Amino acid sequence: MTRYLHLDHVDVRHGRTPILSGVTVSFAAGQIVGLVGPNGAGKSTLLSAIAGLLPYCGDITWNGKSVDIHEIGFMPQHCQIRAELTALEVVLLGCHERLGWRVGDDLLNAAAKTFQSLGISDLARRGMQALSGGQQQLVLLAQRLLRQPRLLLLDEATSALDIKHQMRVFRLLRDYVDETGALVIISIHDLNLAARHSDTVLLLDAGKVAGVGPFETAVTRETLRIVYGIEAEFLCSQSGIPLIVPLTA
């Protein structure tokens, strides 16, 4: 049975200020959804609402039921570890309910595999306080992946990464979706990254849906002009992926 995430007329307000208005979309599992839009469009609010961490009006269901934060993976934009823990300890805490007096070999092997997939095996024994922002971001992503959630919500999970690690993360997410059939929703500021790695794009503007579907239909010259206030040229790479070149603002 195909899993679905369904949002029906979702509204979120901060006091009297509307943050999200009438968001209605459905996404089948087995894909990567790129959540895009300018600053203040409501991307972080939408992910937090889906995760059940913000009050909202309307309906949000995953497989026909309310979303259970304990059954999904959610990585907020601003997430820091201040405790004196190693990177390995932080990742293992992602499966805290399976931890006992002794950590099983199966869990340790799964953690090691996740570290290796992200190219950060050398960080496992290092303290989190000694890591850069980008390294911490990778460790926290490894923590979420270790749980193998079927719904994974990532808020700018590649924002602090260099281009090599961005590519590694998106390749890992693609493999993860192919292997597990999960639904991954990731907010992305870089539209060219969204074009390359998203199966579906959800474009938000001032808390409303401004476009949804394949990148080339959701993001056009007209939507860039209306939503971002820029003029842009669309090129095509040798592999057929659209590339956006901003011209004027």
Side-chain angles (χ1 to χ4, degrees), residues 90-113:
V90 168
V91 170
L92 290 174
L93 283 174
C95 293
H96 60 87
E97 70 280 358
R98 294 169 55 188
L99 298 178
W101 290 107
R102 180 181 179 276
V103 181
D105 290 340
D106 57 339
L107 192 56
L108 285 172
N109 291 334
K113 182 179 179 181

Side-chain angles (χ1 to χ4, degrees), residues 19 37-43 189 205-207:
I19 309 299
N39 293 334
K43 301 185 295 297
H189 262 304
D205 180 28

Side-chain angles (χ1 to χ4, degrees), residues 20-21 37 43 48 65 78 95 104 108 115 124 173 196 205 222:
L20 296 175
S21 302
K43 301 185 295 297
S48 294
K65 301 178 182 179
H78 302 293
C95 293
L108 285 172
F115 272 97
L173 291 178
R196 180 171 183 174
D205 180 28
E222 183 179 2

Side-chain angles (χ1 to χ4, degrees), residues 6-245:
H6 181 63
L7 285 74
D8 185 18
H9 291 90
V10 173
D11 296 341
V12 175
R13 303 181 70 87
H14 181 69
R16 295 184 178 181
T17 304
I19 309 299
L20 296 175
S21 302
V23 176
T24 300
V25 289
S26 291
F27 300 115
Q31 63 172 326
I32 296 174
V33 175
L35 178 58
V36 300
N39 293 334
K43 301 185 295 297
S44 296
T45 298
L46 180 62
L47 292 175
S48 294
I50 294 172
L53 299 178
L54 283 179
Y56 61 85
C57 295
D59 290 317
I60 300 178
T61 57
W62 170 240
N63 302 330
K65 301 178 182 179
S66 298
V67 178
D68 185 344
I69 186 64
H70 301 293
E71 296 179 358
I72 69 171
F74 174 53
M75 182 173 168
Q77 182 178 349
H78 302 293
C79 188
Q80 293 183 335
I81 301 295
R82 295 183 173 86
E84 295 295 333
L85 298 172
T86 67
L88 177 59
E89 288 170 335
V90 168
V91 170
L92 290 174
L93 283 174
C95 293
H96 60 87
E97 70 280 358
R98 294 169 55 188
L99 298 178
W101 290 107
R102 180 181 179 276
V103 181
D105 290 340
D106 57 339
L107 192 56
L108 285 172
N109 291 334
K113 182 179 179 181
T114 306
F115 272 97
Q116 184 178 18
S117 298
L118 287 166
I120 56 173
S121 296
D122 58 317
L123 303 183
R125 301 296 177 180
R126 292 178 59 184
M128 288 293 288
Q129 302 304 313
L131 303 184
S132 69
Q135 290 171 328
Q136 289 193 21
Q137 200 170 41
L138 289 168
V139 171
L140 292 170
L141 176 58
Q143 184 193 70
R144 272 65 176 182
L145 289 171
L146 187 64
R147 293 183 63 87
Q148 293 195 321
R150 293 301 183 264
L151 176 59
L152 182 58
L153 309 173
L154 304 173
D155 194 355
E156 295 191 34
T158 61
S159 61
L161 304 183
D162 58 50
I163 188 170
K164 176 182 177 180
H165 284 95
Q166 285 180 343
M167 293 176 66
R168 187 186 290 269
V169 165
F170 277 109
R171 184 169 65 248
L172 177 60
L173 291 178
R174 175 60 60 194
D175 291 342
Y176 181 72
V177 166
D178 291 343
E179 291 171 6
T180 67
L183 172 62
V184 175
I185 304 179
I186 177 170
S187 63
I188 311 171
H189 262 304
D190 189 328
L191 292 176
N192 287 318
L193 277 179
R196 180 171 183 174
H197 298 288
S198 303
D199 301 299
T200 301
V201 166
L202 172 59
L203 173 63
L204 291 183
D205 180 28
K208 298 180 180 181
V209 176
V212 61
F215 184 87
E216 57 271 19
T217 60
V219 181
T220 65
R221 287 185 176 87
E222 183 179 2
T223 55
L224 287 178
R225 187 180 303 117
I226 295 172
V227 175
Y228 287 90
I230 64 169
E231 298 293 333
E233 181 179 2
F234 280 67
L235 305 178
C236 189
S237 70
Q238 291 182 347
S239 56
I241 299 171
L243 298 172
I244 296 175
V245 180

